Amino acid sequence: MRPPRERIVVKARAGWMGMGRGAGSTALGLFQILPAFLCIFPSVTSPCKILKCNSEFWAATSGSHHLGAEEAPEFCTALRAYAHCTRRTARTCRGDLAYHSAVHGIDDLMVQHNCSKDGPTSQPRLRTLPPGDSQERSDSPEICHYEKSFHKHSAAPNYTHCGLFGDPHLRTFTDTFQTCKVQGAWPLIDNNYLNVQVTNTPVLPGSSATATSKLTIIFKSFQECVDQKVYQAEMDELPAAFVDGSKNGGDKHGANSLKITEKVSGQHIEIQAKYIGTTIVVRQVGRYLTFAVRMPEEVVNAVEDRDSQGLYLCLRGCPLSQQIDFQSIRSAQATEGRARRKGPSLPPEAFTYETATAKCREKLPVEDLYFQSCVFDLLTTGDVNFMLAAYYAFEDVKMLHSNKDKLHLYERTRVLTPGNAAPTGTHPTLWVALLCLCWLCLL
């Protein structure tokens, strides 16, 4: 067995490229702290759309780091378009650090490049990659191609799959299948190479039915392969680029070992991280997001201290307190014809148990857990898009799962795994301390 791959963590060099490569150092400096800020305080980015403005401007000016006199008008046009974009989102961005940094940066660039505030504001042109950049470079370091590096030392790697979809249903790397509440922000993956976090919000006010409304993926800097990159998707915004507007791993020699491909505009993107043998699929189905990943076991388990990882849903599953007893609810569905969750506001009963099963059977003929999840979601939300979410989740399993005999699952898992034993919000050490305190009081 070959030794574990060395991890070298390097702070992101690119930072926010919101001012374009032709920008002055003063304006660019305003954006250096924003990626970390946005990850720590993700709510700041919604509903403010400054991220989209930054990406469009970077894409329009990414080749302008050597501006000639003849290119200055084009840069000024892109800059005016950038300013126009910030004005459109001004109302929803009050108090947003990224927004105010962009506004001040635009003013600085207008002065530096002698740009007039009056003039054409055509939409920024899409960034065009130089010849040969659309494919992985033949001289890319071997370490940046996981399978080539792996085969040189040992047998083929074992791949695992994790997926999250619907209201929400989780399939872990160990093929455990759970239906969970998990409202708010939760980590899906947290290892030495990348972090994935999802945010689940109520489908309707007052209802406990939730779905994924936001997704953040952080690819950590790795050797000579990739710079740190951040990808963010939210409801009604599924970008085909990282937050800095780029579509690959940055400026390193093996940058194309990390690439984003748009499969269906606004609905389906795929991220290939060849340097860690990982494929990620993100979809927007209706208003909500689905997530699926194929990852080698070695990467899945590449954590510095597994026992202290806390909640890592793809590896450990949902905490017991967050799991929904699907079997008992399903029995109630069959008996009563519908499922009701406690809450002051529930959707109109658009489906009975019979009509929900008939609808789900159109896309999912095998009555496995994906079919059952479809029925469950139609009854609890009344939204037919949840049927499509279950369908596409199973399509992703067929593409990403390495064991074709395990595509269908029939028995839902409700287990208490290590690290998830404590009640919500309470650490096991605290319970031990409380018990000791009670014992001392009795002496």
Side-chain angles (χ1 to χ4, degrees):
M1 181 174 179
R2 69 185 184 91
R5 302 176 60 160
E6 180 184 3
R7 180 174 74 106
I8 300 177
V9 178
V10 181
K11 293 184 179 179
R13 295 182 301 151
W16 276 77
M17 301 301 289
M19 292 290 97
R21 293 183 182 174
S25 58
T26 302
L28 284 169
L30 295 170
F31 288 82
Q32 296 301 309
I33 65 168
L34 291 181
F37 180 86
L38 293 173
C39 293
I40 297 171
F41 303 103
S43 60
V44 176
T45 62
S46 181
C48 178
K49 301 300 181 184
I50 190 62
L51 177 64
K52 183 178 180 182
C53 299
N54 291 342
S55 297
E56 287 179 351
F57 181 72
W58 187 90
T61 60
S62 58
S64 305
H65 50 288
H66 296 299
L67 283 174
E70 70 282 357
E71 292 176 316
E74 184 179 351
F75 182 82
C76 291
T77 297
L79 196 56
R80 283 189 291 268
Y82 189 17
H84 181 65
C85 184
T86 60
R87 287 195 293 272
R88 287 201 310 267
T89 193
R91 178 172 294 182
T92 58
C93 292
R94 291 176 182 173
D96 187 289
L97 176 61
Y99 168 77
H100 291 289
S101 297
V103 170
H104 289 301
I106 290 169
D107 291 340
D108 288 345
L109 289 174
M110 285 283 192
V111 174
Q112 290 173 23
H113 295 278
N114 296 318
C115 296
S116 170
K117 293 186 178 181
D118 299 320
T121 56
S122 59
Q123 291 298 316
R125 59 182 171 83
L126 294 177
R127 181 188 181 194
T128 56
L129 297 174
D133 201 34
S134 60
Q135 299 179 356
E136 189 174 359
R137 292 168 53 169
S138 60
D139 61 344
S140 180
E142 187 179 83
I143 190 67
C144 299
H145 196 298
Y146 182 82
E147 290 190 356
K148 289 180 181 179
S149 175
F150 199 102
H151 284 308
K152 184 175 181 179
H153 299 282
S154 59
N158 293 319
Y159 287 95
T160 59
H161 162 74
C162 177
L164 187 76
F165 68 96
D167 175 21
H169 309 284
L170 172 70
R171 181 170 181 161
T172 72
F173 285 129
T174 57
D175 289 317
T176 295
F177 197 101
Q178 298 169 343
T179 297
C180 309
K181 303 172 187 175
V182 290
Q183 182 174 333
W186 291 80
L188 275 183
I189 299 173
D190 182 11
N191 61 41
N192 291 348
Y193 302 101
L194 78 163
N195 302 105
V196 181
Q197 178 175 287
V198 293
T199 300
N200 302 312
T201 54
V203 175
L204 289 172
S207 171
S208 60
T210 61
T212 302
S213 57
K214 186 171 184 177
L215 172 75
T216 301
I217 307 173
I218 302 174
F219 295 89
K220 300 177 184 179
S221 176
F222 180 70
Q223 297 186 10
E224 64 264 46
C225 303
V226 298
D227 295 318
Q228 179 169 295
K229 291 288 178 175
V230 179
Y231 178 81
Q232 277 193 339
E234 344 182 15
M235 288 192 302
D236 303 320
E237 188 170 348
L238 187 70
F242 296 109
V243 296
D244 62 6
S246 64
K247 293 191 175 186
N248 69 1
D251 298 325
K252 292 186 177 181
H253 198 48
N256 282 324
S257 60
L258 175 63
K259 295 175 66 175
I260 293 182
T261 303
E262 185 175 60
K263 298 294 186 178
V264 180
S265 178
Q267 298 179 31
H268 180 191
I269 65 104
E270 184 177 299
I271 304 176
Q272 288 281 351
K274 290 186 177 181
Y275 66 102
I276 51 174
T278 296
T279 301
I280 294 175
V281 175
V282 182
R283 298 178 187 265
Q284 176 165 305
V285 186
R287 298 184 63 217
Y288 299 101
L289 304 172
T290 70
F291 170 86
V293 62
R294 180 178 188 258
M295 183 179 290
E297 286 183 354
E298 182 190 35
V299 177
V300 169
N301 296 310
V303 294
E304 294 177 356
D305 186 355
R306 182 161 178 161
D307 292 335
S308 65
Q309 278 295 293
L311 297 174
Y312 170 173
L313 299 187
C314 275
L315 184 63
R316 300 187 175 218
C318 298
L320 184 62
S321 61
Q322 295 293 318
Q323 295 176 33
I324 295 172
D325 188 350
F326 183 85
Q327 299 299 336
S328 63
I329 292 178
R330 184 167 178 249
S331 299
Q333 290 171 347
T335 302
E336 301 174 11
R338 62 183 180 268
R340 283 186 174 274
R341 292 188 185 181
K342 293 181 179 179
S345 177
L346 287 173
E349 297 297 327
F351 291 94
T352 65
Y353 182 77
E354 290 73 20
T355 58
T357 54
K359 189 67 178 176
C360 291
R361 200 170 283 119
E362 293 177 8
K363 288 286 188 180
L364 298 162
V366 178
E367 295 193 13
D368 60 359
L369 289 177
Y370 290 90
F371 172 85
Q372 295 177 29
S373 298
C374 172
V375 174
F376 179 83
D377 289 354
L378 288 185
L379 291 168
T380 55
T381 69
D383 186 349
V384 73
N385 286 304
F386 282 82
M387 174 197 69
L388 296 176
Y391 167 73
Y392 285 123
F394 185 67
E395 290 298 299
D396 291 337
V397 170
K398 291 194 290 186
M399 180 181 74
L400 299 174
H401 205 292
S402 59
N403 188 340
K404 303 308 177 185
D405 295 330
K406 291 186 177 181
L407 300 183
H408 296 282
L409 296 176
Y410 296 93
E411 293 187 9
R412 187 173 301 264
T413 311
R414 181 178 169 85
V415 295
L416 190 62
T417 56
N420 290 342
T424 303
T426 307
H427 195 277
T429 306
L430 179 59
W431 285 103
V432 174
L434 289 173
L435 288 172
C436 292
L437 181 61
C438 292
W439 180 77
L440 289 172
C441 291
L442 294 174
L443 292 179

